[in-house]
Amino acid sequence: MASTIREARYRVEGMDCASCASKIDTAVRRLSGVEDVSVSVSAGTMSVKFADENDLSTSIVSRVGKLGYRLHPIQAGQAQERKTAHVCSGHDHNHEHDHDHDHGGHSHDHDHGHKHNHAHDHDHRHDEHARHHEGNASQKGEAAAVAMGLHGHDHGPTSGPWWKSGKGKLTIASGLALIAAYAVGKTIPVTEPWIFTLAMLVGLLPIARRAFVAATMGTPFSIEMLMTIAAIGAVFIGATEEAAMVVLLFLVGELLEGVAAGKARASIQSLTALVPKSAFVERDGRLDEVPAETLSVGAVILVRPGDRIPADGVILSGESAVDEAPVTGESTPVRKEVDDTVVAGTVNGSGALRVRVTAAAADNTIARIVRMVEEAQESKAPTERFIDRFSRYYTPGVVVVAALVAVLPPLLWGGSWDEWIYKGLAILLIGCPCALVISTPAAIAASLSAGARRGLLMKGGAVLENVGKVTAAAFDKTGTLTEGKPKVTDIVGFGRSEADVLRLAAALEQGSSHPLARAILERSTADGVAIPTIATVNAVGGKGLEGTVEGAVLFFGSPKAAAERTPMTPDEKARVAALNDEGKTVSVLVAGGVIAGAIAMRDEPRPDAAAGVKALTDAGLRVVMLTGDNRRTAEAIGRQFGMEVRAELLPEDKQRIVRELKAEGFNVAKIGDGINDAPALAAADIGIAMGGGTDVALETADAAVLHGRVGDVAAMIRLSRSTMRNIVQNITIALGLKAVFLVTTIIGVTGLWPAILADTGATVLVTMNALRLLRPVRAA
């Protein structure tokens, strides 16, 4: 019988560079029973898939601990919230795991009808049990790391300044040792060789131990190994002062990498800081202030004017303008009333709201977005996979070149051994692949974070990369280009006033839940119309409604059914036909045997739809509407956008058209609601769900536009294209600097110091360049 594959996720402390991730990946992958490993430097997480019959948790924690990192298991569905110490100017960003926020994920029904089934089900009652095991695992990892004394990275969560971190302390100790060596060496010159060697060993010993353990676990050519060989080699040829300085520069470079990695992680994690720490919950007729993370589904909370909303929920009473800018980027406050949904982290305006909680803290919108982005960051893009493969050959290749440079000139042409060994050692340092390996994931992680903050979710690096290649966009109409619900657009009075037509039609429609009825009732409420009491009302099958209001017999239904009761004049027919030609649904009111008027309704375009479609066409995309609606309605909407229209389609027709576009050479994005258009979404190169809930949308599509803005599709494509440009820049920086210093080292212009500065400098430049992508995404 085939074994079941389990997946375990961990947060990795101390991992802040591509070299770290590569060593962890290789070490864990070599464990027997492991099927797959995904490590994200940017998110600081690792996912491991292994056969169900193998309980590898202890082995994984122990093995990674020996490399000098500490693992914290991430429970399925838990709120992955961390306290972040933001310290500028070289300060370390250390993320503390806030285990008090661990509420298990669960399946729940929201009032708006979407059932969100989370794949990672976990019972709340097991939280304390999980924390106990998590603590034990962490202690084991920490004990293993401390016992080996390996890693200059942090061994535990810290909230203090960078100089209190393990990495900071090692760097300071190495710097002080080097200063002391200069003081003693210049005072007593005869001691220089061994005093600088001692200073070098302060920083090198932890590096050498990490190199040895990494080599035994499958990574012989780690940056630590190259660093160790270069430093020891420099001592043997008498360059002890340079060896000590190179070790210090290496440690400073690692410290800077940690700062840059912290900034990327802090970008998406800062979303969790938007949720307030406390909430006012109604209990037995009184209000109690409780921690927000303890709120359970079904609890009723009071949100005062000006307060941040502490949980996802549905409004039970009250109305207010809610500022959603912190979460969605929507600059204009959104009017909310009874039965509307609200999102944790948004800001209540002027009115008090009573809200029923629909999601626990671990499962609110922000927590799910953070979780999705972190999981997406573990998914490698094609470019990243190629760079990883390339670096596996690149580093051993540089080691061979370094060895040839050190040995061949003295052997073949009588060169100085010291001079050429020195050059070979410098080339070894140039061979570190850190800047090259981080060039792609740093940019992708920054883009995924920036996109998520605007409500643009993508399932991983491959999706982000492919979105920018899209050359054709196929939109669903209802709920995507349009609002998804009809609105009254025209009220026409023939025999009566417009107000009278609306008043009588609303009287007949009272109590109906039909979308057209709701549209009429909403319009009458908005216009302040007093709806009269209805005596009787009956549905006339497939034609309309018939009833008695204020002693008059009324009929409200289709123009054809109305004409069967009372002949319509040519002018009345022409007016109805004109409204139909605009894609509107028209219902005619007959009162006392006379045509009284007509009401036209239409599912109106989203406010930003025209600008969003124009942004796509301006970007060179072919834009087409695929809809099952009737041709006249579809073309009326399409004319407003100047887009190609394909109407009266079945789901299989949409799939066929997507395939036809691909056959013509287009890279096709299908944008729909993520539910009804599954065949077309699957057939497209990229499926983008718009207007659905986060879970529903990402279950069925590659990417999602959470806030229903058509312009966000263009923003997603822009983000992808700017990311790919950033990656090209990063690779150019990484390889270009190394090529320059390779040549200058061989011809004798630069030595060990510039070599390590080139490596550290390139890594920091690449990371900082990638962080530019964290800037806000422009709207269309």
Side-chain angles (χ1 to χ4, degrees), residues 16 91-93 167 253-263 265:
D16 49 27
H91 292 29
D92 206 4
H93 289 250
K167 187 191 304 181
E254 279 205 321
L255 198 60
L256 291 175
E257 286 174 22
V259 172
K263 284 184 181 294
R265 291 174 196 168

Side-chain angles (χ1 to χ4, degrees), residues 44 214-215 223 391 445 542 619 651 670 752 774:
I223 177 57
S391 67
K670 173 68 177 72
L752 287 177
L774 291 174

Side-chain angles (χ1 to χ4, degrees), residues 458-728:
M458 288 162 275
K459 273 188 173 175
V463 173
L464 175 61
E465 200 168 301
N466 289 331
V467 165
K469 300 175 183 176
V470 167
T471 54
F475 281 89
D476 188 22
K477 180 182 77 72
T478 305
T480 302
L481 289 170
T482 65
E483 297 277 8
K485 58 180 182 179
K487 290 183 178 178
V488 172
T489 57
D490 302 88
I491 302 171
V492 181
F494 292 136
R496 293 178 181 248
S497 68
E498 293 178 7
D500 222 24
V501 171
L502 179 60
R503 184 175 69 88
L504 295 174
L508 285 175
E509 296 288 9
Q510 285 181 84
S512 174
S513 60
H514 190 278
L516 296 179
R518 285 203 300 269
I520 290 170
L521 292 170
E522 284 174 8
R523 177 62 180 267
S524 64
T525 301
D527 288 2
V529 171
I531 302 175
T533 304
I534 190 165
T536 60
V537 64
N538 296 301
V540 182
K543 296 183 178 181
L545 293 173
E546 189 177 53
T548 304
V549 178
E550 297 174 343
V553 177
L554 305 179
F555 173 81
F556 186 59
S558 68
K560 182 179 178 182
E564 289 173 359
R565 292 168 176 263
T566 303
M568 298 177 68
T569 66
D571 286 347
E572 291 168 349
K573 288 180 181 178
R575 187 65 197 276
V576 168
L579 292 170
N580 279 327
D581 288 341
E582 293 172 12
K584 297 171 182 176
T585 300
V586 181
S587 295
V588 174
L589 178 70
V590 179
V594 177
I595 301 293
I599 295 179
M601 289 159 279
R602 185 170 66 181
D603 182 10
E604 287 292 90
R606 291 180 182 270
D608 78 318
V613 170
K614 184 177 185 301
L616 290 170
T617 53
D618 289 349
L621 274 71
R622 178 177 174 182
V623 184
V624 58
M625 179 199 296
L626 306 181
T627 179
D629 209 345
N630 69 75
R631 184 170 302 280
R632 186 163 57 180
T633 299
E635 287 179 348
I637 297 288
R639 276 196 300 272
Q640 295 183 46
F641 305 142
M643 67 191 301
E644 181 182 345
V645 174
R646 306 280 188 93
E648 299 174 0
L649 303 175
L650 297 172
E652 53 266 32
D653 296 326
K654 296 179 183 180
Q655 183 184 42
R656 173 181 52 78
I657 291 169
V658 165
R659 286 178 173 158
E660 287 172 0
L661 288 169
K662 289 173 70 174
E664 292 173 30
F666 290 99
N667 278 312
V668 182
K670 173 68 177 72
I671 302 98
D673 59 15
I675 302 165
N676 301 326
D677 290 339
L681 284 170
D685 295 290
I686 293 290
I688 301 175
M690 192 165 84
T694 52
D695 299 310
V696 173
L698 282 185
E699 283 296 324
T700 54
D702 302 304
V705 173
L706 297 186
H707 308 306
R709 291 184 288 248
V710 178
D712 280 354
V713 177
M716 187 181 284
I717 291 171
R718 271 199 309 276
L719 180 62
S720 171
R721 290 177 178 177
S722 63
T723 303
M724 296 314 295
R725 286 195 298 272
N726 191 281
I727 288 171
V728 171

Side-chain angles (χ1 to χ4, degrees), residues 28-37 48-51 54 56 60:
V28 175
R29 203 176 285 276
R30 288 163 71 94
L31 281 171
S32 177
V34 170
E35 299 285 334
D36 192 28
V37 181
V48 183
K49 292 181 181 177
F50 52 89
N54 299 311
L56 296 178
I60 292 168

Side-chain angles (χ1 to χ4, degrees), residues 399-410:
V399 171
V400 170
V401 170
L404 293 176
V405 167
V407 172
L408 289 183

Side-chain angles (χ1 to χ4, degrees), residues 5 61 83 139 229 316 401 417 428 511 516 600-601 632 652 677 719 747 767:
I5 301 300
V61 170
K83 295 175 184 174
Q139 288 161 13
I229 294 170
L316 296 178
V401 170
W417 279 100
L428 265 186
L516 296 179
M601 289 159 279
R632 186 163 57 180
E652 53 266 32
D677 290 339
L719 180 62
I747 64 177
T767 309

Side-chain angles (χ1 to χ4, degrees), residues 121-135:
D121 289 337
H122 182 67
D123 198 305
H124 289 259
R125 292 169 297 180
H126 295 302
D127 284 353
E128 291 300 327
H129 182 65
R131 289 193 199 102
H132 172 72
H133 282 291
E134 184 173 359

